[in-house]
Amino acid sequence: MSVSVTCIAPVNIAIIKYWGKRDDDLILPINDSISVTLSTDHLRTKTTITAGPEIAKNVLRLNGVDESFDNPRIQRCLQEVKSLAKASGKCPKPEMLEWNINVESENNFPTAAGLASSAAGYACFVYTLATLYGIESEELSKIARMGSGSACRSLHSGYVQWARGERPDGLDSLAIQLAPASAWPDMHVLILVVSDRKKATASTHGMATSVKTSDLIKHRASVCVPERIKLVQKAIAEQDFDTFGRIAMKDSNQFHAICLDTYPPCFYLNDVSRSIIRMVDQINTLAGLNAPVKVAYSFDAGPNACLFLLEKDVAEVSAIVRRVFPFTDSSAEEYYKGIPNDETAMQAVPPTVLDSFAVEEPNLLRYIIHTKVGEGPKRVG
Amino acid sequence: MSVSVTCIAPVNIAIIKYWGKRDDDLILPINDSISVTLSTDHLRTKTTITAGPEIAKNVLRLNGVDESFDNPRIQRCLQEVKSLAKASGKCPKPEMLEWNINVESENNFPTAAGLASSAAGYACFVYTLATLYGIESEELSKIARMGSGSACRSLHSGYVQWARGERPDGLDSLAIQLAPASAWPDMHVLILVVSDRKKATASTHGMATSVKTSDLIKHRASVCVPERIKLVQKAIAEQDFDTFGRIAMKDSNQFHAICLDTYPPCFYLNDVSRSIIRMVDQINTLAGLNAPVKVAYSFDAGPNACLFLLEKDVAEVSAIVRRVFPFTDSSAEEYYKGIPNDETAMQAVPPTVLDSFAVEEPNLLRYIIHTKVGEGPKRVG
């Protein structure tokens, strides 16, 4: 009698960062953001929702652990999807909308790693619910956004822009696709997951404190971001990696600058993050100070780096990362995840290039995920 | 036949930071700054200048090491002081102005520690030269500034403001005293010297890159700093430690935020600096979220912290620092420098207070200097 649907949804990494809400309740941002959706082959949330008249109460399990369904954001997403389904009249079994649900959700990457798990999680929850109730709607963007702001970006594949919007009710604050993943097929991503002892400030709390105390955040939101949005849109349209990479790095830096201009300051980068930034900077200056950038970093609210690079530079950059960040605590299988290394190409990187990089102490990284830009949520199984 | 003079000059720590030049040649800043002069009892440069007809060429020794006299900033300071002495007609032996000089300068603190040694060094060089040539003049401020911008602030005792000035020739960009050290006698300073492996970006290079690439620095210089200057002036005049401390922390954070908003970013804070910031924040919230601050941090272009606090809180804060940052590599004599600890008062700090602070791994600090606000340069010996 019960009905069950399983879907997966991707992680996304912002190139122009979302930091600061203009409405805490509706989760409306103070500035537009642009993100890249990562391949679900390597990073994804998978959610199964079962609805049935025999289910005594709503149940939520995340990564095998029972969680409270009383979370107001979960409740709100559920109510909003149900209302939409009712209004649409498309639900194949309208009685389902009265049944309780059982939600099982799991990530194939460590939640603790600070890899935008809440974005993928809420996107997957909303998308799976909508699939269960038989609806497809642009309004899912707005519902996912009320779960976790950046979740609306995980509903699309490829390159995505989430508009700030002007309306107080947030109806124009939606995520739209700028370009599909296939538009820039040689874009690769290396995620460097950093070993870290310290628990960072939760991003909801951090951004609220920034909006209240940073003297620079308004200037960022009103002057810097609008200029950068235009530049990144154009760079994506023209596949101009140099501009894309430079703005990505500058915006990551500016986001962390705003965190530091907050009182008390919030810190997400640590000494290992800084070593990664220095390494990237050295790679980019190897070819000359004004040469196009080969690799760009972006850091979310945590110490892990997301490196963007083109296929032609993957072997060289991977070989340099392997030299700078040696590992002894893990096997190569545990250390390298995702797309396999091209050992032949990596061995061909000239020793003179590698030797110019200083070697850090071992095991500063937990592991590396090699992935690409990818697709949005979909039903599976 | 030769004439010799020895003087000492203090280190100063900016409360409102100087970062960015509007004129690289004259060393004119993009914003006003306010600093505190530290006691020469614990941190000082000592310079002996000898002039004599038998000296074959100008010689400079810094901390026992021969340095080139060709440094254009040294040359310029020497020429400017000589011109001033000639114009004044006050030099007791005008023929001295034709003699070569021998300069011996040494700091009683490690130059490598990043404790504003160039400010103290140039202030001492210019002051000693002027004393040798028999002049006293407000114009020394402008000459010291051309050696190292913040050196002009080390020519005064107590609380000092260096004006940005409006004139292209920099004649109105001078340092003046806001209040003598004696105006706020219970102000204490703890300098936490951090163990650090990495060499930081030189500040001259860093600030030039910030002016060129930071999108936030102009807003800081034109909007944020002028407001803060007024607040700190008032706080000093009224001995309002809460405002003084809060603005000091916010301005230190904003300066480092600008460094991070620079491309490529410059980093001066490290993970130990961040632990110090967290400790200070915890001390200040112990008495309640809106209680007046007890202790404030300020970080210059390096990982070392300068903590400001009032006499009544010295024992408690010192006991907390001792708990959070244990040492095993040094003796207590090597670890604690400057004003001796009041062990009786430190032992009286309740264990319930101390126990609420997490203990860091040992030896993250090299040593601690306990000092006070102090006097300007003077002739000695």
Short mmCIF file of all heavy atoms in Angstrom, two decimals, chain B residues 13 31 45 60 63 69 73 114 135 144 156 176 222 234 256 261 280 300 337 345 369:
data_model
loop_
_atom_site.label_atom_id
_atom_site.label_comp_id
_atom_site.label_asym_id
_atom_site.label_seq_id
_atom_site.Cartn_x
_atom_site.Cartn_y
_atom_site.Cartn_z
N ILE B 13 52.45 50.20 18.74
CA ILE B 13 51.47 49.25 18.19
C ILE B 13 50.24 50.05 17.77
O ILE B 13 49.68 50.79 18.58
CB ILE B 13 51.04 48.20 19.24
CG1 ILE B 13 52.24 47.45 19.80
CG2 ILE B 13 49.99 47.24 18.67
CD1 ILE B 13 52.85 46.44 18.84
N ASN B 31 45.12 56.48 5.07
CA ASN B 31 44.23 56.81 6.18
C ASN B 31 45.02 57.17 7.43
O ASN B 31 46.20 56.83 7.56
CB ASN B 31 43.23 55.67 6.48
CG ASN B 31 43.88 54.34 6.81
OD1 ASN B 31 43.92 53.42 5.97
ND2 ASN B 31 44.42 54.21 8.01
N THR B 45 64.78 50.23 20.72
CA THR B 45 65.97 50.24 19.89
C THR B 45 66.95 51.21 20.54
O THR B 45 66.54 52.26 21.07
CB THR B 45 65.64 50.73 18.47
OG1 THR B 45 64.76 49.80 17.87
CG2 THR B 45 66.90 50.84 17.62
N LEU B 60 76.98 51.23 8.91
CA LEU B 60 75.75 50.90 9.63
C LEU B 60 75.84 49.47 10.14
O LEU B 60 76.08 48.54 9.36
CB LEU B 60 74.56 51.04 8.67
CG LEU B 60 73.18 50.60 9.16
CD1 LEU B 60 72.72 51.46 10.33
CD2 LEU B 60 72.16 50.70 8.01
N ASN B 63 72.16 45.20 15.08
CA ASN B 63 72.27 43.99 15.91
C ASN B 63 73.57 43.24 15.64
O ASN B 63 73.59 42.02 15.52
CB ASN B 63 71.06 43.09 15.67
CG ASN B 63 69.76 43.76 16.09
OD1 ASN B 63 69.65 44.23 17.23
ND2 ASN B 63 68.80 43.84 15.19
N PHE B 69 74.93 50.88 3.72
CA PHE B 69 74.45 52.25 3.95
C PHE B 69 73.76 52.80 2.69
O PHE B 69 73.25 53.91 2.69
CB PHE B 69 75.62 53.16 4.35
CG PHE B 69 75.22 54.21 5.36
CD1 PHE B 69 75.50 54.06 6.71
CD2 PHE B 69 74.53 55.36 4.97
CE1 PHE B 69 75.12 55.02 7.63
CE2 PHE B 69 74.14 56.32 5.89
CZ PHE B 69 74.45 56.15 7.22
N ARG B 73 66.37 54.64 1.86
CA ARG B 73 65.60 55.25 2.96
C ARG B 73 66.53 55.78 4.04
O ARG B 73 66.29 56.84 4.62
CB ARG B 73 64.62 54.23 3.53
CG ARG B 73 63.53 53.86 2.53
CD ARG B 73 62.49 53.02 3.21
NE ARG B 73 61.36 52.75 2.32
CZ ARG B 73 60.23 52.18 2.73
NH1 ARG B 73 60.09 51.83 4.01
NH2 ARG B 73 59.25 51.95 1.89
N GLY B 114 58.85 40.25 14.43
CA GLY B 114 57.80 41.05 13.79
C GLY B 114 57.17 42.03 14.74
O GLY B 114 55.97 42.24 14.74
N ILE B 135 69.57 69.55 16.94
CA ILE B 135 68.27 70.12 16.57
C ILE B 135 67.11 69.37 17.22
O ILE B 135 67.18 68.19 17.51
CB ILE B 135 68.05 70.14 15.03
CG1 ILE B 135 68.35 68.75 14.44
CG2 ILE B 135 68.87 71.22 14.38
CD1 ILE B 135 67.97 68.63 12.99
N ALA B 144 61.27 60.85 9.81
CA ALA B 144 61.16 59.46 10.25
C ALA B 144 60.16 58.70 9.38
O ALA B 144 60.37 57.54 9.02
CB ALA B 144 60.73 59.40 11.72
N HIS B 156 56.82 59.84 19.69
CA HIS B 156 56.01 60.40 20.77
C HIS B 156 55.71 59.36 21.83
O HIS B 156 55.61 58.17 21.54
CB HIS B 156 54.70 60.95 20.23
CG HIS B 156 54.88 62.04 19.23
ND1 HIS B 156 55.12 63.34 19.60
CD2 HIS B 156 54.89 62.02 17.88
CE1 HIS B 156 55.26 64.09 18.51
NE2 HIS B 156 55.12 63.31 17.45
N ILE B 176 51.14 63.24 15.92
CA ILE B 176 51.02 64.10 17.11
C ILE B 176 50.54 63.27 18.30
O ILE B 176 49.89 62.23 18.13
CB ILE B 176 50.00 65.25 16.89
CG1 ILE B 176 48.65 64.66 16.47
CG2 ILE B 176 50.49 66.27 15.89
CD1 ILE B 176 47.48 65.53 16.84
N SER B 222 38.18 55.28 3.42
CA SER B 222 37.39 56.51 3.31
C SER B 222 36.18 56.52 4.24
O SER B 222 35.71 57.58 4.64
CB SER B 222 36.94 56.72 1.86
OG SER B 222 36.13 55.65 1.45
N LYS B 234 38.02 59.70 21.34
CA LYS B 234 37.11 59.93 22.46
C LYS B 234 37.36 58.90 23.58
O LYS B 234 37.38 59.24 24.77
CB LYS B 234 35.66 59.84 21.93
CG LYS B 234 34.59 60.25 22.89
CD LYS B 234 33.30 60.60 22.15
CE LYS B 234 32.15 60.91 23.10
NZ LYS B 234 31.46 59.71 23.60
N HIS B 256 43.39 42.69 8.80
CA HIS B 256 43.71 41.35 8.29
C HIS B 256 42.71 40.91 7.23
O HIS B 256 43.05 40.14 6.32
CB HIS B 256 43.84 40.35 9.44
CG HIS B 256 45.05 40.64 10.28
ND1 HIS B 256 46.31 40.28 9.90
CD2 HIS B 256 45.18 41.33 11.44
CE1 HIS B 256 47.18 40.72 10.79
NE2 HIS B 256 46.52 41.36 11.74
N ASP B 261 41.65 40.08 1.38
CA ASP B 261 40.94 40.54 0.18
C ASP B 261 41.92 40.98 -0.92
O ASP B 261 41.52 41.41 -1.99
CB ASP B 261 40.01 41.70 0.55
CG ASP B 261 39.10 42.11 -0.61
OD1 ASP B 261 38.44 41.22 -1.16
OD2 ASP B 261 39.07 43.31 -0.95
N VAL B 280 40.62 35.33 23.90
CA VAL B 280 40.22 36.69 24.29
C VAL B 280 38.70 36.82 24.23
O VAL B 280 38.07 37.36 25.14
CB VAL B 280 40.91 37.74 23.38
CG1 VAL B 280 40.26 39.11 23.53
CG2 VAL B 280 42.40 37.80 23.68
N ASP B 300 49.68 43.07 14.36
CA ASP B 300 50.31 43.77 13.24
C ASP B 300 50.58 42.78 12.10
O ASP B 300 49.96 41.74 12.06
CB ASP B 300 51.59 44.45 13.72
CG ASP B 300 51.30 45.85 14.28
OD1 ASP B 300 50.15 46.30 14.20
OD2 ASP B 300 52.24 46.48 14.78
N LYS B 337 58.74 37.75 30.30
CA LYS B 337 59.65 38.88 30.25
C LYS B 337 58.90 40.13 30.68
O LYS B 337 57.68 40.18 30.65
CB LYS B 337 60.21 39.05 28.84
CG LYS B 337 61.00 37.83 28.34
CD LYS B 337 61.48 38.03 26.91
CE LYS B 337 62.02 36.74 26.30
NZ LYS B 337 63.30 36.28 26.87
N ALA B 345 48.33 37.09 43.27
CA ALA B 345 47.06 37.43 42.63
C ALA B 345 46.67 36.38 41.59
O ALA B 345 45.49 36.04 41.45
CB ALA B 345 47.17 38.81 41.97
N ILE B 369 55.75 39.12 26.82
CA ILE B 369 56.34 40.33 27.39
C ILE B 369 55.23 41.14 28.04
O ILE B 369 54.26 41.52 27.37
CB ILE B 369 57.01 41.20 26.29
CG1 ILE B 369 58.02 40.37 25.49
CG2 ILE B 369 57.68 42.43 26.92
CD1 ILE B 369 58.53 41.09 24.23
#
